[in-house]
Amino acid sequence: MTLLPANPPDTGSANDTLSQQLSELPAFRAFLRAVEARFYANLPMPEPVLDLGCGDGHFTSVAFPQGLEVGLDPWWPPLRETRQRGLYKQLICGVGAGLPFPSDHFNTVVSNSVLEHIADVEPVIPEVARVL
């Protein structure tokens, strides 16, 4: 269990994060993503990291500009865009209920604004626990 400090350290200007989001997103979505990106900036994320539902990679480009090990998404068109961003060591087209990794493979799993879009989320949670 990791406890977050009551006053997280400043990791950059909120305006910088928002500006990055506004360059590609509508204002309402950019605001939400900027807040989320700042949240992740203060969390320890031991590698390797799986991004469950990486989508087009835009969020990762702002929240994790250093990139992540693995991005997984069920849709080819966003994965093609993600590939162009060059943020992941590996991209996989697949679903969270059947992750192609051995148990205990990842130290961190990120899934930002994804779980609510999965029609049958029940098998995904134990599968994520298995690979952690």
Side-chain angles (χ1 to χ4, degrees):
M1 178 176 182
T2 302
L3 298 177
L4 298 176
N7 295 309
D10 187 17
T11 58
S13 167
N15 289 336
D16 291 344
T17 305
L18 182 58
S19 295
Q20 289 176 306
Q21 297 291 337
L22 283 170
S23 70
E24 293 186 40
L25 300 175
F28 75 94
R29 190 168 158 212
F31 177 75
L32 292 174
R33 294 296 181 257
V35 170
E36 292 165 344
R38 299 241 328 140
F39 171 79
Y40 283 107
N42 296 316
L43 292 178
M45 298 189 48
E47 296 179 350
V49 178
L50 167 65
D51 186 354
L52 180 72
C54 64
D56 63 11
H58 179 266
F59 181 75
T60 299
S61 71
V62 175
F64 311 107
Q66 76 283 1
L68 299 173
E69 283 74 26
V70 178
L72 179 127
D73 203 87
W75 310 106
W76 281 110
L79 283 173
R80 288 185 188 105
E81 189 173 342
T82 302
R83 184 184 314 138
Q84 293 174 352
R85 295 181 192 274
L87 293 165
Y88 296 92
K89 293 177 183 170
Q90 183 179 15
L91 287 171
I92 297 172
C93 188
V95 296
L99 298 172
F101 300 99
S103 297
D104 305 318
H105 185 78
F106 293 99
N107 286 318
T108 304
V109 175
V110 173
S111 188
N112 191 73
S113 297
V114 171
L115 296 179
E116 70 273 20
H117 298 287
I118 300 174
D120 187 13
V121 74
E122 293 301 321
V124 176
I125 304 303
E127 183 66 356
V128 168
R130 181 187 69 77
V131 300
L132 278 171

